[in-house]
Amino acid sequence: SVDVKGGKAVSLSDGKVIADNVSSARVDNETGLIHVRSKDDRAGLYDGEGKELIPCAYDAVGVIYEGYAPVKENGLWGLYDVANGKLAVPCQYDEIQWLSKGATRYVYNGYVCVLKDGKLGFTDLNGNVTCEVKYAASAAVRHGCSMTVADMDGTLYIIAADGTQTKTEFTQFDQHAGGDGSLLMASKNDEAGIVDWHGNVVLPLEYKNYELTITGDAKAVIVKVVAVPSGVCST
């Protein structure tokens, strides 16, 4: 735990001074890192040894997931790479999007989904826009480093984070199939299979959706084999 004494953030376990010139400090329970707010009301992040991980230069520092934290400046959000000590996505967006599929993340396959004026798009970890921020959030289903949208006649498109838009003949994409969005579970006529984020078929549509799960790193697909009881014929 940490306390503020005389403008210093101090570790209660060993008395170590974590940071100077602060008005408040708190420990992130998940990571053990310390959120601090300076006397001039700027937010930053330190480790338990007093190393500055995010400089006290922001309006706010958000929740840390897998080494990344959203930071707010002038009312807009970006994403900070804590391990490498750099701003990965500039503070130009209304929100940095996150998803929870086994592990809560901001970064999927090297891409970040961002929201601006009700529209979604993607950047890479150098802040470059890789997919134009133009897809209505209210109409899109996010899958990590891809999303799916339907046009007026119900045709589904895959929007990959690299900007590729692919028209499909599928009727549904499972939002909770796992993975990072580089592989997707697609369905048509009650049969399911796996396609990549550009619509290429990886596993033919020969399964039921409950038989398929994409691993968290999207490097494999788990296929559940349904056993046929003895004396029962499979058709």
Side-chain angles (χ1 to χ4, degrees), residues 138-211:
S138 59
V141 177
R142 294 189 295 117
H143 304 273
C145 65
S146 62
M147 54 187 163
T148 50
V149 298
D151 65 13
M152 295 295 290
D153 66 5
T155 299
L156 288 172
Y157 292 78
I158 302 172
I159 313 299
D162 65 1
T164 304
Q165 177 175 299
T166 305
K167 182 179 180 180
T168 79
E169 296 182 352
F170 308 119
T171 56
Q172 183 179 350
F173 289 92
D174 193 319
Q175 187 178 10
H176 306 290
D180 62 7
S182 57
L183 295 177
L184 301 168
M185 186 193 300
S187 300
K188 184 178 181 181
N189 298 328
D190 295 324
E191 298 297 321
I194 302 295
V195 300
D196 68 16
W197 65 341
H198 294 156
N200 301 304
V201 175
V202 175
L203 197 64
L205 274 67
E206 298 175 352
Y207 303 88
K208 300 301 180 183
N209 59 2
Y210 57 80
E211 297 176 330

Side-chain angles (χ1 to χ4, degrees), residues 2-233:
V2 65
D3 194 10
V4 176
K5 300 178 180 180
K8 300 178 184 294
V10 179
S11 170
L12 295 181
S13 62
D14 58 11
K16 181 187 292 292
V17 175
I18 304 300
D20 293 310
N21 196 35
V22 303
S23 61
S24 65
R26 63 176 179 84
V27 177
D28 181 279
N29 292 329
E30 293 296 323
T31 64
L33 301 177
I34 300 164
H35 290 263
V36 303
R37 186 162 289 277
S38 67
K39 288 185 176 179
D40 58 354
D41 201 31
R42 310 301 291 163
L45 187 73
Y46 286 74
D47 68 12
E49 297 300 314
K51 179 181 178 181
E52 183 184 73
L53 302 177
I54 299 178
C56 287
Y58 297 98
D59 300 336
V61 175
V63 178
I64 308 157
Y65 292 128
E66 295 190 336
Y68 292 90
V71 291
K72 189 177 186 181
E73 185 176 15
N74 297 324
L76 296 174
W77 290 92
L79 191 67
Y80 207 93
D81 180 345
V82 177
N84 292 304
K86 68 172 186 174
L87 188 63
V89 177
C91 298
Q92 298 176 354
Y93 303 99
D94 296 329
E95 289 182 18
I96 301 296
Q97 301 286 282
W98 60 270
L99 289 176
S100 182
K101 295 179 178 179
T104 304
R105 306 174 185 172
Y106 300 112
V107 180
Y108 290 82
N109 198 28
Y111 295 93
V112 180
C113 187
V114 295
L115 175 75
K116 184 69 180 290
D117 298 329
K119 304 294 179 60
L120 293 172
F122 291 92
T123 77
D124 64 19
L125 290 173
N126 291 313
N128 301 306
V129 175
T130 57
C131 178
E132 188 177 354
V133 186
K134 66 177 184 179
Y135 298 93
S138 59
V141 177
R142 294 189 295 117
H143 304 273
C145 65
S146 62
M147 54 187 163
T148 50
V149 298
D151 65 13
M152 295 295 290
D153 66 5
T155 299
L156 288 172
Y157 292 78
I158 302 172
I159 313 299
D162 65 1
T164 304
Q165 177 175 299
T166 305
K167 182 179 180 180
T168 79
E169 296 182 352
F170 308 119
T171 56
Q172 183 179 350
F173 289 92
D174 193 319
Q175 187 178 10
H176 306 290
D180 62 7
S182 57
L183 295 177
L184 301 168
M185 186 193 300
S187 300
K188 184 178 181 181
N189 298 328
D190 295 324
E191 298 297 321
I194 302 295
V195 300
D196 68 16
W197 65 341
H198 294 156
N200 301 304
V201 175
V202 175
L203 197 64
L205 274 67
E206 298 175 352
Y207 303 88
K208 300 301 180 183
N209 59 2
Y210 57 80
E211 297 176 330
L212 302 176
T213 302
I214 303 167
T215 60
D217 58 9
K219 292 182 179 180
V221 177
I222 300 171
V223 180
K224 179 181 179 181
V225 178
V226 180
V228 179
S230 176
V232 176
C233 295

